[in-house]
């Protein structure tokens, strides 16, 4: 077993809300270093299907535990990947520390590497370099604004288009250096000026928000009555999708989110019970210990016994 250096965020809370029991079956949609999966397996004699699109996470999980079945794929395809129905489905969104801290994966402006950012490097899909080198200025600016919530998106896109006329962007450092020239920061600023643009590219390359919406829809079908959905998200774009989904599916007014999936469960039938209207946050001790935990928010809900097939979805 190779080392997989990722510290799980809100692991105790996830186990608490998943409430695993002997003989039951769970899906960990974001296996990563298997922190959540192993925590469930330590708590009950259950089985866990661990999905990850990253071959490195799958390779690491191969021999970790007899009750852990690793499955390579995207969690948005969970219905095709896992024999359902199951007792719980959990997601810990975003990238693992292993992905961020491996320069060759190209996720981080802190290391020089190819501008890639694909969570599954075997997929023949767009890389961050493809986006930066080929998108027209307006769609590029829109992408940086929408997924990075970057106010300087237009300036950044204009500078990228100008620069790439001289030479293509190949590396993380080339892009980070350009952004530093465009976005001037005061010494008080805690964030590197590249943070938001890199986030935007990562979300686009991996269709992260589309995957999340598909997984939430799939949860309606794969969870048994009483089955638990637990989602840990790390920024407001993700959290507002989860929040809007749970509001809608628990029969409350749909949230006015620009990311809310439209036209789903129009008759407001209660497909989930969402006891906590508010998100659950990590403890202060965890936030102190692990800076990655500071932006984490957990939402959870319990599937009711209303069958989806009866609905116009
Ligand atoms: C934050 S890490 C999960 C860490 C894990 N909970 C742990 O405790 O070790 C997120 C993982 O989800 C994977 N991932 C992200 N989006 C995915 C998707 N759409 N389908 C499958 N895996 C995905 C990433 O490759 C990464 O390994």
């Amino acid at each position: 077993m190779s080392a997989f250096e990722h510290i799980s965020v809100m692991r105790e809370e996830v186990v608490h809300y998943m409430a695993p029991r002997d003989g039951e079956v769970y899906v960990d949609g974001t296996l990563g270093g298997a922190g959540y999966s192993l925590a469930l397996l330590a708590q009950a004699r259950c089985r866990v299907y661990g999905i990850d699109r990253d071959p490195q996470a799958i390779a690491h999980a191969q021999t970790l535990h007899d009750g852990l079945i690793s499955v390579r794929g995207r969690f948005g395809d969970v219905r095709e990947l896992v024999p359902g129905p199951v007792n719980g489905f959990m997601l810990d969104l975003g990238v693992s520390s292993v992905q961020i801290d491996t320069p060759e994966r190209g996720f981080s402006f802190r290391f020089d590497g190819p501008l890639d950012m694909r969570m599954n490097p075997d997929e023949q899909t767009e890389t961050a370099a493809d986006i930066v080198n080929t998108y027209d200025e307006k769609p590029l600016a829109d992408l940086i604004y929408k997924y990075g919530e970057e106010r300087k998106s237009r300036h950044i896109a204009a500078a990228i288009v100008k620069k790439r006329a001289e030479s293509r962007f190949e590396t993380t450092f080339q892009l980070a250096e350009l952004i530093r020239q465009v976005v001037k920061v005061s010494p008080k600023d805690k964030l590197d000026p590249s943070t938001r643009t890199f986030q935007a590219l990562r979300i686009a390359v991996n269709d992260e928000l589309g995957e999340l919406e598909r997984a939430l829809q799939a949860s309606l079908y794969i969870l048994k009555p009483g089955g638990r959905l637990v989602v840990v998200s790390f920024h407001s774009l993700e959290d507002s999708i989860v929040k809007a989904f749970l509001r809608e599916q628990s029969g409350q007014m749909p949230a006015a989110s620009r990311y809310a999936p439209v036209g789903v469960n129009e008759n407001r039938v209660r497909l989930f019970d969402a006891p906590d209207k508010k998100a659950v946050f990590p403890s202060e001790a965890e936030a102190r210990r692990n800076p990655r935990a500071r932006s984490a928010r957990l939402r959870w809900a319990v599937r009711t016994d209303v069958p989806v097939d009866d609905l116009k979805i």
Side-chain angles (χ1 to χ4, degrees), residues 103-178:
E104 303 82 59
R105 304 296 300 269
F107 283 104
S108 175
F109 48 80
R110 288 184 291 120
F111 311 108
D112 202 11
L115 204 46
D116 187 327
M117 301 197 194
R118 285 168 303 167
M119 289 187 199
N120 177 0
D122 297 340
E123 266 175 18
Q124 299 301 313
T125 47
E126 255 177 2
T127 63
D130 293 332
I131 294 179
V132 164
N133 289 310
T134 64
Y135 276 33
D136 287 342
E137 187 174 325
K138 166 97 171 53
L140 185 58
D142 289 348
L143 182 152
I144 295 171
Y145 182 73
K146 186 172 164 201
Y147 296 146
E149 301 182 290
E150 169 59 86
R151 282 180 297 128
K152 295 275 173 58
S153 57
R154 310 234 159 272
H155 295 292
I156 295 172
I160 288 174
V161 169
K162 191 161 163 226
K163 183 86 183 166
R164 78 187 185 199
E166 296 160 22
S167 62
R168 273 176 59 87
F169 286 90
E170 304 287 357
T171 68
T172 48
F173 272 11
Q174 285 170 340
L175 181 62
E177 209 176 288
L178 179 83

Side-chain angles (χ1 to χ4, degrees), residues 6 8 29-36 51-54 57 73-75 92-96 99 119 211 292:
H6 177 88
S8 304
T30 50
L31 179 66
Y36 288 1
I51 300 174
D52 208 294
R53 68 201 290 189
D54 190 320
R74 297 175 175 218
F75 58 60
D92 178 17
L93 300 170
V95 277
S96 70
Q99 290 167 325
M119 289 187 199
E211 277 293 307
R292 254 194 90 247

